[in-house]
Amino acid sequence: MQRRRFLGLTAAGAATAALAPALTACGSDGGSGSKTLRVVAADYGDSEANNSQKYWDELARAFEAENKGVKVDVSVLSWTEVDKKVAEMVAAGKAPDVAQIGAYADFAAAGKLYSADQLLTIPTQADIIAQIARAGEVARVQYGLPFVSSTRLLFYNKTLFAKAGIAKAPESWDELQAAAKKLQTAGVKVPYGLPLGPEEAPAETMMWMLSGGSGYTDHNGTYTINSDENVKTFEWLRDELVGKGLTGSLDPSRTNRQNVFDAFCRGEVGMLNGHPTLMKQAEAKGIKYGTAPLPGKGGKAKSTMGVADWIMAFKANGHREEIGRFLDFVYTTKNVLGFTNQYDLLPVTTSASEQMAGDTRKKHLKPFLDQLENAEFYPVDKTSWAKVSKAFKEKIGSVVVKGGDPASVLGEIQREADATELAGHAK
């Protein structure tokens, strides 16, 4: 995913190769009057030891024990190829019954998916956090069911802050700049880590847009890429952060997120925007860190970026009733927490979020949970988003270097986005 990479996760390639042949089959009847649901899911593990296949296999067996006559066959693939594999299956007329992948909008627009209200019971639908559920809508109908989520906070190195004489995390851009200057004076290699390289440029871009009072779209879902606020945000980054050397030795236009994360874990970065998995990476390297809400133009940002991965159900095999029962089972509090606790991700249901918030073992995730209700998500409901995201990966880094032109580049991407949207509506 881009989406899964935003959650900072990789996959076990060996498992992918072993499981790939299972994707040739579509949903089918399993004989003796039973039905088989074919599920394709993404791997959130970073080794064989924590491969996601174990979770899905245990969940499938538990579901089968309670639902005689329904079998569940799950194939777990790496994030590097799961979206592509599902698209190929659908194109070949062999769609799975359920896919847990990164994007749903193209399939929804093509009429291939069941809507949420065709699948889930009312209590299950009501339990899904409304802000995330809305991110799964196309034309006000929910087709994407959120599976896991993540939010972003400002991370800072407590040791470097103490060395530079900084008493607390910055809450505004002016305070962030002042802190970065102190870190620079104290000899910190990278006062502020700004990854606008191709790996995760759309994420860093969105966080800065939100902190500047705008975003990718307005409340009506219309692209606002070249809004005055967004242009001013990137002019500030160009002139007041990058232009003054406060991003240090890393070139923001070419720096990827993992490069900055790695440098933070080496004790070289004073501040950066990050997600929950950075905590484990930093702790493993003995980094003393703190987290805080994103600084905004005139104070704390009103919202942060949220990321979700999605579950969708395909109509092709006609197993609506069985899929609905299976997904109701997936969204029970026990099963939601069984997955999110394993990978330090955030639940997408209110009941699981409340339980996690009360779990002292998960208190490190509470600041991220607190941000979830007001988080803003990528406009993944737009079939144009994939192309727009690609444009940001290719172009946004150029606006913060010397001579960069935010108004021109954002205007160019805005025109591309509008044209892509228009072409999609004309089909």
Side-chain angles (χ1 to χ4, degrees):
M1 134 189 190
Q2 139 182 13
R3 279 79 36 189
R4 37 292 151 204
R5 287 195 291 271
F6 289 157
L7 301 183
L9 303 163
T10 56
T16 297
L19 292 166
L23 294 181
T24 57
C26 60
S28 61
D29 290 340
S32 302
S34 67
K35 291 185 177 179
T36 298
L37 298 181
R38 307 293 180 183
V39 179
V40 179
D43 186 9
Y44 288 74
D46 56 11
S47 68
E48 283 295 330
N50 66 351
N51 185 285
S52 300
Q53 186 75 47
K54 181 179 179 182
Y55 167 84
W56 284 105
D57 284 347
E58 290 179 351
L59 184 142
R61 301 297 81 81
F63 173 78
E64 290 170 354
E66 295 182 12
N67 294 268
K68 302 300 182 185
V70 182
K71 299 293 182 182
V72 180
D73 181 8
V74 186
S75 298
V76 174
L77 299 179
S78 80
W79 269 120
T80 58
E81 67 173 356
V82 67
D83 288 79
K84 180 182 177 183
K85 287 289 186 181
V86 170
E88 290 173 351
M89 293 169 69
V90 174
K94 297 180 179 180
D97 293 286
V98 176
Q100 184 270 300
I101 54 177
Y104 62 85
D106 286 346
F107 299 128
K112 297 183 181 297
L113 302 180
Y114 289 116
S115 62
D117 60 3
Q118 290 177 305
L119 298 166
L120 304 178
T121 61
I122 291 175
T124 300
Q125 279 190 271
D127 197 28
I128 295 176
I129 296 170
Q131 183 77 352
I132 314 178
R134 284 193 292 271
E137 294 179 353
V138 172
R140 300 180 185 251
V141 177
Q142 185 184 359
Y143 296 96
L145 307 177
F147 179 59
V148 291
S149 63
S150 175
T151 58
R152 302 302 172 90
L153 292 172
L154 178 76
F155 281 68
Y156 60 95
N157 184 311
K158 289 184 175 181
T159 303
L160 296 181
F161 265 45
K163 178 182 177 182
I166 305 168
K168 65 181 184 70
E171 296 184 355
S172 67
W173 289 358
D174 286 345
E175 290 182 7
L176 184 146
Q177 185 194 55
K181 286 180 177 178
K182 289 183 178 180
L183 291 164
Q184 182 185 52
T185 301
V188 175
K189 193 172 181 180
V190 182
Y192 184 87
L194 182 67
L196 290 175
E199 180 189 0
E200 204 184 17
E204 190 72 17
T205 295
M206 183 172 180
M207 284 183 276
W208 279 99
M209 285 179 169
L210 291 172
S211 71
S214 187
Y216 283 124
T217 62
D218 61 19
H219 293 300
N220 296 318
T222 302
Y223 280 120
T224 54
I225 292 165
N226 66 338
S227 67
D228 290 343
E229 293 90 346
N230 287 340
V231 171
K232 290 175 181 177
T233 291
F234 282 93
E235 288 176 344
W236 187 89
L237 283 172
R238 179 195 64 195
D239 300 336
E240 302 299 328
L241 206 63
V242 180
K244 294 188 176 178
L246 300 178
T247 52
S249 59
L250 298 177
D251 176 1
S253 67
R254 298 183 180 182
T255 300
N256 287 327
R257 180 217 63 209
Q258 195 57 52
N259 300 138
V260 180
F261 278 19
D262 290 344
F264 185 78
C265 294
R266 293 193 299 267
E268 298 172 358
V269 178
M271 300 174 282
L272 77 167
N273 293 332
H275 50 62
T277 55
L278 179 56
M279 293 188 291
K280 280 190 175 180
Q281 295 178 32
E283 288 164 3
K285 298 296 184 179
I287 300 297
K288 296 179 180 179
Y289 66 88
T291 60
L294 301 185
K297 187 174 182 180
K300 292 179 183 178
K302 293 180 180 179
S303 61
T304 187
M305 187 186 79
V307 178
D309 293 330
W310 303 94
I311 287 180
M312 60 216 68
F314 289 88
K315 296 177 179 178
N317 305 309
H319 294 158
R320 182 180 67 82
E321 181 184 348
E322 293 78 15
I323 294 170
R325 275 190 276 155
F326 177 67
L327 292 179
D328 274 329
F329 188 73
V330 168
Y331 283 102
T332 60
T333 302
K334 175 185 176 182
N335 289 329
V336 170
L337 288 173
F339 194 87
T340 55
N341 284 342
Q342 182 176 353
Y343 297 107
D344 261 0
L345 294 168
L346 303 184
V348 297
T349 62
T350 300
S351 59
S353 294
E354 289 174 349
Q355 190 163 319
M356 178 179 278
D359 186 345
T360 56
R361 296 168 300 175
K362 294 295 177 180
K363 63 181 180 180
H364 58 293
L365 290 175
K366 191 172 188 308
F368 295 92
L369 277 170
D370 290 343
Q371 297 286 313
L372 197 54
E373 290 288 350
N374 295 315
E376 297 286 340
F377 292 79
Y378 287 126
V380 289
D381 58 316
K382 293 178 172 292
T383 56
S384 60
W385 172 242
K387 186 172 182 179
V388 173
S389 176
K390 182 173 182 288
F392 273 99
K393 290 181 180 183
E394 294 172 348
K395 299 174 182 179
I396 196 62
S398 68
V399 308
V400 298
V401 301
K402 186 176 181 180
D405 188 346
S408 177
V409 173
L410 292 174
E412 180 183 348
I413 299 176
Q414 175 80 42
R415 289 190 293 275
E416 290 180 15
D418 290 341
T420 305
E421 274 291 284
L422 187 63
H425 291 155
K427 290 181 179 179

